[in-house]
Amino acid sequence: MKRMNFDAAAIIGMASLWPLLQSSTYFPFNLMQGSGSAALGSLAPWHELYSAILIVLGIVLILVDRRIDIAKHAGKALLLVLAICGTVGEVALFLADGASGLISVTLSVGSLLVATFILGAICVWSARTIRSEARESVMLIALSYIAAEAVLTVCSLIGLNVQWVLLACPLISMVCACLSSACPAGERPAIGSLRGIPWRMMLPSVLLVYFGVIFVRILIGYQIGGLSDFDRAVTTIIPFIVFSFVVFYVSRNPSAADDLTITFSALVVVYMAALTMVLIFGDANYTFVKRVVVASEHCFEVFVWILVATTLGCREKGSSVPFALYAIVIVALPSFLSFDVMQMGGVLDLVSNRAFAIPLAAVVSFATASASIVYLVIATLRKGADVKMSEDDWRERVCREALGGLDLSEREMQVAVLLYRGYTAKRIADSLYVSESTVKTHISHIYSKIGIHSKQEFITHIDRLRDENSI
């Protein structure tokens, strides 16, 4: 088994980004002093402006990055600019409560600076969380999230205001980005198109993020605040436990990073457990269940990042595009729809006063989660026959004996066997229940270890070893 080298700077830097992405649906205005007791109506217009800025900047980045490829060429000067934008923007919002004469200008400038930092930081860390092997990407992302949740849990338990943590995050994140590095160009997995994404997991994950954000907004209603330190701790402890399991499972099962079905299923189970509690305990005032739903939704946000990092990889051009989409679809739009549109459009007022709203939202979310699990089970059973490689299969025996000295991982060996059978990359992906891009990465590693460059050379190499050694 290949030993992984953990980049401490990357883990700490990425850990400093997660609190900014998940601290609140009305971030960055939770930095304002006194925002905890503010009514939604007073913050919604400003948050709408912030969301619009983030979405527009994301679209611009998508258009520009196809030519410039910002994430791969993010030098220290750009990282310094991002650190300044994030820190100055957050401080401006933190002090905005006292700048009554210039409150509009302060909030506008602060929103622009923070949105610029958030988008830039997501793209910077996208290049640093993509590794040559999916297992390394999963471990880096999961460990960074565990670290972030551990810090936030301690802050909640000792009563430290999370605002101080959020104010320090931009500087810490960019300093760590300077000390870490992206995956070397020669080791990046090559990707052809968005078809490499496992949509059977991606689409339900995105839907559950939206359901979670909107559902919690219905539960909370108009008033922000009122959470105890214990309530906040619940929101961070659950993801800490879930991703600790992910790290343990992936560390013990190297091929698990290539097939994230178990991880996805575990997250769905947690999500469904929270929704079951909602249906059983029908009182909209209980806070614990709200926190469990929020924690589950946060877990899926991280899982979507993992899916993108492990299946899309860095392309020759436009490596920031997938994560610019992440910033728009996962970071900006959910809070924009649940916080800005529902508040300013009067939807929140309409549904929060209807007895059927909460059960209906819970049932729809539960049905989506259940359908995802059923689909995965059916797909797994349908393709199980192709995945299983019996001991009496002579091609498997030939491959394992011929390639036994090359230190191939178990997943690479499975790919090699199917490749020797004549399977295409797409058919191998279908058989092993992974993305086609992951299979191509494994094939590239196999060819590199053997010293060949094509499928025909691979088959010829195995046949030659078979004849020479009478396998």
Side-chain angles (χ1 to χ4, degrees):
M1 183 186 302
K2 182 179 178 181
R3 185 177 181 179
M4 291 182 295
N5 296 316
F6 294 107
D7 187 343
I11 292 174
I12 296 172
M14 187 69 187
S16 301
L17 178 61
W18 289 120
L20 302 178
L21 300 182
Q22 297 186 340
S23 63
S24 172
T25 54
Y26 63 107
F27 175 86
F29 300 99
N30 58 332
L31 290 166
M32 296 174 61
Q33 302 179 61
S35 61
S37 59
L40 286 176
S42 63
L43 293 176
W46 293 108
H47 192 272
E48 185 177 25
L49 173 64
Y50 167 77
S51 299
I53 293 174
L54 185 56
I55 293 170
V56 170
L57 289 177
I59 294 173
V60 171
L61 178 60
I62 291 172
L63 297 176
V64 172
D65 194 61
R66 292 184 179 277
R67 297 181 177 86
I68 301 177
D69 203 2
I70 295 173
K72 294 182 187 176
H73 302 96
K76 293 184 178 180
L78 176 58
L79 298 179
L80 176 62
V81 170
L82 290 175
I84 293 174
C85 285
T87 303
V88 172
E90 289 193 347
V91 171
L93 294 174
F94 180 75
L95 300 176
D97 196 46
S100 57
L102 299 173
I103 185 69
S104 297
V105 175
T106 304
L107 293 178
S108 299
V109 173
S111 299
L112 175 61
L113 292 176
V114 173
T116 301
F117 167 78
I118 291 296
L119 181 62
I122 288 174
C123 293
V124 166
W125 285 112
S126 70
R128 285 159 173 76
T129 53
I130 294 171
R131 301 289 168 166
S132 58
E133 292 190 6
R135 181 171 174 243
E136 294 183 11
S137 293
V138 173
M139 292 293 282
L140 191 158
I141 297 167
L143 286 172
S144 72
Y145 193 55
I146 289 172
E149 299 303 272
V151 170
L152 293 177
T153 300
V154 171
C155 291
S156 298
L157 295 178
I158 66 176
L160 178 66
N161 194 331
V162 73
Q163 287 178 321
W164 299 111
V165 176
L166 298 180
L167 288 170
C169 282
L171 182 59
I172 295 175
S173 184
M174 291 301 99
V175 169
C176 290
C178 290
L179 300 176
S180 65
S181 59
C183 179
E187 299 180 12
R188 294 191 185 107
I191 293 299
S193 71
L194 294 177
R195 288 178 295 181
I197 296 178
W199 290 105
R200 55 185 168 269
M201 289 187 285
M202 176 67 80
L203 186 57
S205 297
V206 173
L207 288 176
L208 291 174
V209 167
Y210 279 78
F211 283 146
V213 173
I214 294 174
F215 180 61
V216 170
R217 180 55 54 203
I218 294 173
L219 288 177
I220 292 176
Y222 273 93
Q223 197 65 29
I224 301 175
L227 291 178
S228 66
D229 291 331
F230 174 77
D231 296 331
R232 298 182 190 279
V234 169
T235 312
T236 54
I237 289 174
I238 293 176
F240 178 90
I241 295 173
V242 170
F243 278 92
S244 294
F245 161 77
V246 172
V247 168
F248 174 79
Y249 180 70
V250 173
S251 64
R252 293 298 184 92
N253 302 274
S255 62
D258 298 322
D259 183 0
L260 295 167
T261 306
I262 298 297
T263 302
F264 175 78
S265 301
L267 296 180
V268 171
V269 168
V270 174
Y271 196 97
M272 292 171 70
L275 296 174
T276 301
M277 295 172 66
V278 172
L279 295 173
I280 294 176
F281 307 105
D283 184 0
N285 293 320
Y286 59 92
T287 305
F288 177 76
V289 174
K290 299 176 191 176
R291 294 298 96 199
V292 176
V293 175
V294 171
S296 303
E297 176 252 316
H298 286 176
C299 288
F300 274 106
E301 291 177 2
V302 179
F303 183 70
V304 171
W305 187 300
I306 290 176
L307 282 179
V308 176
T310 55
T311 60
L312 283 182
C314 286
R315 293 171 290 184
E316 290 302 315
K317 289 289 183 181
S319 65
S320 294
V321 170
F323 288 92
L325 289 172
Y326 179 92
I328 295 173
V329 176
I330 300 298
V331 178
L333 281 178
S335 59
F336 174 74
L337 294 174
S338 67
F339 184 54
D340 304 331
V341 174
M342 290 180 67
Q343 162 62 22
M344 300 190 71
V347 178
L348 184 61
D349 187 26
L350 177 65
V351 299
S352 61
N353 294 320
R354 296 293 186 271
F356 66 84
I358 294 174
L360 178 61
V363 168
V364 172
S365 300
F366 192 92
T368 302
S370 301
S372 303
I373 290 291
V374 171
Y375 178 82
L376 286 175
V377 170
I378 293 175
T380 301
L381 292 176
R382 187 176 67 245
K383 296 174 182 177
D386 283 337
V387 176
K388 185 176 180 181
M389 300 179 183
S390 60
E391 290 299 327
D392 59 352
D393 186 330
W394 68 269
R395 289 186 178 85
E396 178 184 5
R397 178 174 57 81
V398 168
C399 269
R400 288 188 178 276
E401 292 187 24
L403 305 177
L406 293 180
D407 192 28
L408 298 180
S409 68
E410 178 58 28
R411 181 62 86 184
E412 287 173 339
M413 186 63 76
Q414 292 175 347
V415 171
V417 171
L418 295 178
L419 195 64
Y420 186 52
R421 288 177 177 176
Y423 284 26
T424 63
K426 185 179 186 307
R427 188 178 177 188
I428 295 174
D430 291 339
S431 298
L432 296 179
Y433 203 49
V434 296
S435 68
E436 186 176 349
S437 61
T438 299
V439 171
K440 290 180 179 178
T441 299
H442 286 316
I443 293 175
S444 176
H445 290 166
I446 294 169
Y447 288 173
S448 176
K449 291 177 181 180
I450 297 176
I452 57 177
H453 303 90
S454 69
K455 180 178 179 180
Q456 187 56 51
E457 285 184 280
F458 172 78
I459 295 175
T460 301
H461 175 76
I462 299 296
D463 287 340
R464 179 175 57 81
L465 291 177
R466 177 191 173 197
D467 294 337
E468 290 178 357
N469 302 315
S470 300
I471 299 175

